[in-house]
Amino acid sequence: MALDELKAAVPDFAKDLKLNLGSVIGNSDLPQQQLWGTVLACAIASRSPKVLRELEPEAKANLSAEAYTAAKSAAAVMAMNNVFYRTRHLLSDPEYGTLRAGLRMNVIGNPGVEKVDFELWSLAVSAINGCGQCLDSHEQVLRKAGVDRETIQEAVKIASVLQAVGVTLEAEAVLAE
């Protein structure tokens, strides 16, 4: 199992990450599609080749072709949106918030999977990318759709652990050079 290989790659000083990796993926209460779509989107967002290489095959095996593509689409569109909306939010001039975005994001309206799943993946990627405006927006859509806070937090936990594992492994690779 690739998850075991990824856990084995985590250095001893980051034992908490290793344990958390096993629990947020191995013991998740999320349905398979939500879990593995979150894992794939967050592995992409983590920018860690090792995390993505290890987790992508299992994600692909646990997702339909449509869900696999939608999870990748969530990572892609949120990579753009998180920069755009975070910047608009951080600029002190409120006029930027009134300007038309003018960016294509059609996949959000028609992701090819249940909207709730795509929103959950988008929220998790937004957590990694640190866009408060996107986090609020996706959380509100999920809550209006009846998704409970525990489910939302589960996706954020996956995002946080995968990001931390990716950072740790990339730092170790650089230090080993």
Side-chain angles (χ1 to χ4, degrees):
M1 172 187 252
L3 180 58
D4 291 334
E5 291 176 30
L6 188 58
K7 285 174 19 183
V10 175
D12 289 340
F13 70 81
K15 182 180 180 182
D16 289 329
L17 298 182
K18 188 181 299 199
L19 295 171
N20 288 332
L21 186 59
S23 67
V24 299
I25 296 175
N27 298 326
S28 177
D29 290 331
L30 293 177
Q32 287 294 332
Q33 180 163 297
Q34 286 183 355
L35 170 64
W36 287 104
T38 303
V39 168
L40 179 59
C42 290
I44 293 167
S46 78
R47 297 174 184 85
S48 169
K50 176 81 172 163
V51 169
L52 183 56
R53 261 194 301 275
E54 293 299 331
L55 295 177
E56 184 275 340
E58 195 161 352
K60 192 171 193 175
N62 281 285
L63 293 169
S64 67
E66 295 80 13
Y68 178 81
T69 298
K72 293 192 322 181
S73 296
V77 76
M78 296 319 296
M80 175 186 69
N81 283 357
N82 292 156
V83 171
F84 181 79
Y85 288 105
R86 182 178 63 235
T87 300
R88 273 199 349 185
H89 175 75
L90 292 172
L91 289 169
S92 60
D93 183 347
E95 289 297 314
Y96 288 101
T98 67
L99 300 175
R100 184 177 165 279
L103 297 172
R104 300 255 183 208
M105 40 189 113
N106 295 329
V107 71
I108 294 172
N110 187 16
V113 294
E114 292 293 322
K115 184 136 176 78
V116 164
D117 294 351
F118 191 83
E119 290 288 334
L120 190 68
W121 305 336
S122 296
L123 177 129
V125 170
S126 296
I128 290 173
N129 292 333
C131 181
Q133 190 172 0
C134 292
L135 282 166
D136 281 342
S137 175
H138 294 291
E139 189 267 349
Q140 288 171 13
V141 170
L142 288 164
R143 296 290 292 142
K144 283 180 186 167
V147 176
D148 59 34
R149 287 179 178 86
E150 291 79 11
T151 298
I152 293 167
Q153 181 169 292
E154 190 78 19
V156 173
K157 286 169 38 178
I158 292 166
S160 65
V161 171
L162 290 184
Q163 175 67 8
V165 168
V167 166
T168 301
L169 294 178
E170 294 310 302
E172 286 298 286
V174 168
L175 295 173
E177 292 177 355

